[in-house]
Amino acid sequence: MSTLEIEVKFFLADMEIVRSKLQQFGAESEGRVFETNICFENAAQDLHLTKSLLRLRKDNKTTLTYKTKPGRPDTDFKVLTELEVTISNFDTMAGILKALGYHRDQVYEKYRETFTLGSTKICLDSMPFGNFLEIEGQKEDILQLARQLEMPWHGRILWNYRSMFFTLKERLNLGFNDITFDNFRDVNVEIETFRSLFEAG
């Protein structure tokens, strides 16, 4: 069964301030995990052409996710139709996808701490190129929590991390495609310089 994923992101200059506020609000942490994500594509580039995503993720579990844009665009929130299922074996699922004609298009890594506050999911994400807050839930709940956290609405980000990376790759002339901490080890990304490119305004 498909569901709508509704979310926004914000760049975080100080993650600890936001974590402290979430704890004060009574948000419950599910812990911090390291993620390995593999995005798949086929030879015809069908997923890219339809702005869809097929992703295999491994953290403390394995999930297979398909995302695509719904029929009606939204300029205030990032809204996607999402199908997701838990998988028992990461390598086996990767092999199945390969056998079906999909190849590994990109790997990206992050550290993620997930909080829940009522029906709202909040993620503190450490990407190789910066730290971000992601709020997922109902639109009114996202708006309310953003105000409580003193996140300026004009600073919300509707881009996904992959799209942000490809812009950084072009601007910084990066010679790699995978968003890994090892690849960024010797790359100094002043994300503040690029914020205006990503923020919805």
Side-chain angles (χ1 to χ4, degrees), residues 25-53:
F25 298 158
E28 297 183 5
S29 175
E30 299 176 8
R32 188 171 188 256
V33 297
F34 176 74
E35 289 183 5
T36 299
N37 299 270
I38 302 178
C39 300
F40 288 86
E41 183 56 274
N42 62 18
Q45 298 286 303
D46 288 329
L47 295 170
H48 174 73
L49 292 173
T50 58
K51 297 183 179 179
S52 302
L53 173 75

Side-chain angles (χ1 to χ4, degrees), residues 75-195:
T75 58
D76 291 320
F77 299 87
K78 179 169 170 273
V79 181
L80 295 171
T81 300
E82 180 183 65
L83 291 163
E84 188 167 87
V85 64
T86 301
I87 303 298
S88 62
N89 189 288
F90 182 87
D91 294 329
T92 299
M93 189 69 245
I96 291 172
L97 292 171
K98 183 178 180 181
L100 291 173
Y102 291 93
H103 62 267
R104 190 184 86 168
D105 186 52
Q106 185 184 51
V107 175
Y108 70 91
E109 299 174 341
K110 69 171 175 277
Y111 288 93
R112 164 170 281 186
E113 183 175 6
T114 302
F115 292 81
T116 54
L117 185 62
S119 59
T120 305
K121 184 170 79 172
I122 307 104
C123 300
L124 299 182
D125 289 340
S126 296
M127 295 294 296
F129 53 79
N131 296 326
F132 299 86
L133 164 70
E134 184 176 281
I135 308 175
E136 179 183 340
Q138 297 302 308
K139 292 181 179 181
E140 59 272 18
D141 296 330
I142 292 173
L143 280 165
Q144 180 180 349
L145 185 56
R147 284 194 294 266
Q148 290 176 315
L149 292 171
E150 300 180 76
M151 293 289 138
W153 191 244
H154 68 268
R156 70 195 184 282
I157 297 170
L158 307 182
W159 298 48
N160 60 39
Y161 291 127
R162 297 184 73 203
S163 297
M164 294 171 69
F165 165 73
F166 286 125
T167 296
L168 292 173
K169 180 180 179 179
E170 180 181 357
R171 294 297 181 103
L172 297 173
N173 195 29
L174 301 177
F176 52 83
N177 190 57
D178 290 338
I179 313 171
T180 65
F181 287 93
D182 187 57
N183 278 345
F184 274 88
R185 182 178 53 206
D186 298 320
V187 179
N188 182 27
V189 180
E190 296 291 343
I191 195 66
E192 287 275 3
T193 306
F194 303 98
R195 284 180 64 177

Side-chain angles (χ1 to χ4, degrees), residues 34-37 56-63 90-91:
F34 176 74
E35 289 183 5
T36 299
N37 299 270
L56 186 61
R57 169 177 289 171
K58 184 177 182 181
D59 43 42
N60 53 5
K61 62 183 184 300
T62 297
T63 53
F90 182 87
D91 294 329

